[in-house]
Amino acid sequence: MVHILVVEDDKNTRRFMKAVLEEEQYIVFTASNGVEALDILDTTHIDLIVLDIMMPKMDGYELTEILRSVQNELPILMVSAKQLPADRKKGFQVGTDDFMTKPVDAEEMVLRIKALLRRAKITSERKIMIGNVVLDEDSLSVTREGETQVLPQKEFQLLFKLLSYPGKIFTRIQLMDEIWGTESDSGWETVTVHVGRLRRRFEGWPEFQIESVRGLGYKAVKLV
């Protein structure tokens, strides 16, 4: 069972979130501020945090900074009435994984939580499974029905990134920065070359494909 911690100082909002998440069969713990949240985290296994920003004693920004400073990589969905781009930017700078504004749409919150949990599972296991295909980050290998291909590091990282977020469009610049680094002397054309190599390697595989999105970049599509 998945354990979720809701940290929210408004009693009615806290109850609403708890009810919505329990309806989805999650086990829900609640705290009214960051100090209470830390006490719960000290004694309870938590898989994900839904976190308000504006709270007494310790706000959401400070709690996130504390968790990230000790290499706690729990997925955090930050929820706030603050809607300015600067507020969202600060949230991501301190280490949140996702951000949504109030009033909270229950269905959207659940969808975002499911996406964060899926990504956290991929990160912790360092593997992706798509039908008969297994991508193993530790060995840089892609295996299907007994056939194993070991990829060059950049090719593997590119494929792993795209398949970690199926359907999400990544620009060439995004992929370049994340995989080759912002200090790389290579141009974005390098991404195009590597995508071409991946397409040739896995041409005809029925489990996934890499699609070009005209004027934007690339996305991976799961077919099973």
Side-chain angles (χ1 to χ4, degrees):
M1 296 292 288
V2 174
H3 294 64
I4 295 179
L5 174 59
V6 173
V7 190
E8 164 65 61
D9 68 325
D10 182 82
K11 181 170 63 176
N12 292 331
T13 302
R14 195 165 62 242
R15 287 177 175 174
F16 165 73
M17 289 180 174
K18 187 174 190 291
V20 168
L21 296 175
E22 287 181 338
E23 183 70 21
E24 295 292 322
Q25 306 303 310
Y26 296 126
I27 297 175
V28 183
F29 300 83
T30 61
S32 61
N33 58 64
V35 175
E36 288 182 13
L38 286 175
D39 288 340
I40 292 172
L41 289 167
D42 278 342
T43 58
T44 309
H45 170 74
I46 298 295
D47 296 292
L48 180 143
I49 302 174
V50 180
L51 179 62
D52 186 30
I53 294 180
M54 301 302 293
M55 298 181 293
K57 297 185 180 179
M58 181 188 295
D59 66 18
Y61 293 137
E62 186 178 355
L63 175 59
T64 302
E65 286 183 310
I66 289 172
L67 293 176
R68 298 310 188 223
S69 70
V70 294
Q71 282 74 55
N72 186 317
E73 298 301 325
L74 268 177
I76 296 175
L77 171 59
M78 196 168 274
V79 181
S80 177
K82 289 174 169 285
Q83 300 186 21
L84 294 176
D87 299 316
R88 298 172 68 89
K89 183 177 180 181
K90 183 176 180 180
F92 286 114
Q93 286 175 334
V94 297
T96 190
D97 297 283
D98 201 357
F99 192 108
M100 62 184 299
T101 55
K102 295 180 180 178
V104 171
D105 178 88
E107 184 177 5
E108 180 185 359
M109 179 179 69
V110 170
L111 289 172
R112 287 177 180 269
I113 285 172
K114 288 181 177 179
L116 286 173
L117 289 170
R118 179 181 61 79
R119 294 170 198 168
K121 184 173 185 290
I122 288 171
T123 301
S124 63
E125 293 185 351
R126 298 172 66 86
K127 290 184 180 180
I128 299 175
M129 301 182 67
I130 303 171
N132 295 321
V133 175
V134 179
L135 281 74
D136 187 333
E137 190 172 15
D138 291 325
S139 62
L140 303 180
S141 65
V142 182
T143 302
R144 178 178 182 270
E145 297 180 349
E147 174 191 351
T148 298
Q149 295 192 42
V150 178
L151 276 57
Q153 184 180 39
K154 298 302 184 187
E155 278 187 44
F156 183 88
Q157 289 176 343
L158 178 58
L159 182 63
F160 197 89
K161 182 68 178 181
L162 291 170
L163 286 174
S164 293
Y165 302 89
K168 179 176 178 177
I169 300 170
F170 290 91
T171 67
R172 294 175 180 84
I173 298 300
Q174 277 180 305
L175 294 169
M176 193 71 212
D177 288 349
E178 290 193 36
I179 296 170
W180 280 266
T182 56
E183 303 300 319
S184 174
D185 293 329
S186 301
W188 58 261
E189 298 88 352
T190 301
V191 176
T192 303
V193 171
H194 279 70
V195 167
R197 290 174 180 167
L198 289 170
R199 284 173 168 163
R200 288 190 293 274
R201 279 184 184 276
F202 303 109
E203 185 177 7
W205 284 33
E207 289 84 5
F208 66 87
Q209 64 186 26
I210 300 174
E211 294 184 355
S212 299
V213 182
R214 187 177 179 85
L216 293 176
Y218 299 102
K219 67 178 179 179
V221 178
K222 291 171 63 175
L223 303 176
V224 293

